[in-house]
């Protein structure tokens, strides 16, 4: 599996965020992307409490946005923050890093499917 050649086109972190925003189709996607990028490891409830994203809206955004980010070599990931019934920690990671981590099986499948699609384009 090859990842997109576009994965590291920017030398500066702020330029990388702008590059990833090119995958966003709606303002709420860009908002969640920016929040997670600038606050790596934040908890799910903080996305709503601190930044005003509506309940579950950010989950839907990542479900829709991740396939487009994956084609750019990045993915929004979530990891348990202790208690399995508790909040999750959110990150934006290069896909190869995410694949090396204990991500959900469904996200792993989405990554593989979309990396293959990016290679076919």
């Amino acid at each position: 599996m090859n990842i997109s050649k576009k994965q590291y086109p920017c030398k500066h972190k702020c330029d990388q965020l702008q590059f990833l925003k090119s995958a966003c189709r709606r303002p709420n996607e860009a908002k969640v992307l920016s929040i997670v990028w600038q606050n790596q490891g934040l908890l799910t409830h903080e996305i709503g409490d601190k930044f005003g994203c509506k309940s579950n809206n950010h989950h839907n955004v990542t479900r829709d946005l991740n396939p487009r980010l994956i084609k750019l070599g990045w993915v929004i990931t979530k990891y348990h923050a202790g208690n399995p019934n508790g909040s999750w920690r959110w990150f934006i990671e290069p896909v190869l890093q995410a694949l090396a981590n204990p991500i959900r099986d469904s996200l792993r499948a989405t990554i593989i499917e979309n990396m293959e699609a990016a290679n076919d384009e």
Side-chain angles (χ1 to χ4, degrees), residues 87-100:
S87 206
W88 294 68
R89 294 209 174 271
W90 291 53
F91 299 88
I92 299 177
E93 303 176 301
V95 291
L96 293 180
Q97 179 180 330
L99 287 171

Side-chain angles (χ1 to χ4, degrees), residues 3-120:
I3 57 173
S4 171
K5 293 176 182 153
K6 298 178 183 177
Q7 181 179 1
Y8 296 106
C10 309
K11 294 178 182 173
H12 301 290
K13 196 171 182 176
C14 61
D15 293 338
Q16 286 179 332
L17 175 58
Q18 287 305 117
F19 172 69
L20 295 178
K21 281 184 176 181
S22 71
C24 297
R25 293 184 180 154
R26 296 183 301 272
N28 59 338
E29 291 178 344
K31 181 177 181 179
V32 170
L33 181 71
S34 295
I35 290 168
V36 176
W37 182 264
Q38 295 167 358
N39 301 277
Q40 297 283 330
L42 82 160
L43 297 170
T44 301
H45 70 273
E46 293 175 322
I47 296 172
D49 294 348
K50 288 185 179 179
F51 301 100
C53 289
K54 295 178 183 174
S55 176
N56 291 326
N57 184 45
H58 39 286
H59 292 286
N60 296 336
V61 166
T62 58
R63 185 193 64 226
D64 295 342
L65 180 58
N66 262 341
R68 287 178 262 129
L69 291 176
I70 291 164
K71 290 177 183 177
L72 299 177
W74 293 83
V75 64
I76 296 174
T77 56
K78 304 165 202 163
Y79 301 97
H80 282 289
N83 180 349
N85 294 327
S87 206
W88 294 68
R89 294 209 174 271
W90 291 53
F91 299 88
I92 299 177
E93 303 176 301
V95 291
L96 293 180
Q97 179 180 330
L99 287 171
N101 290 329
I103 58 175
R104 297 180 331 275
D105 289 341
S106 60
L107 180 57
R108 186 174 303 279
T110 298
I111 290 172
I112 292 169
E113 176 184 326
N114 284 280
M115 286 174 64
E116 291 171 351
N119 290 331
D120 292 340

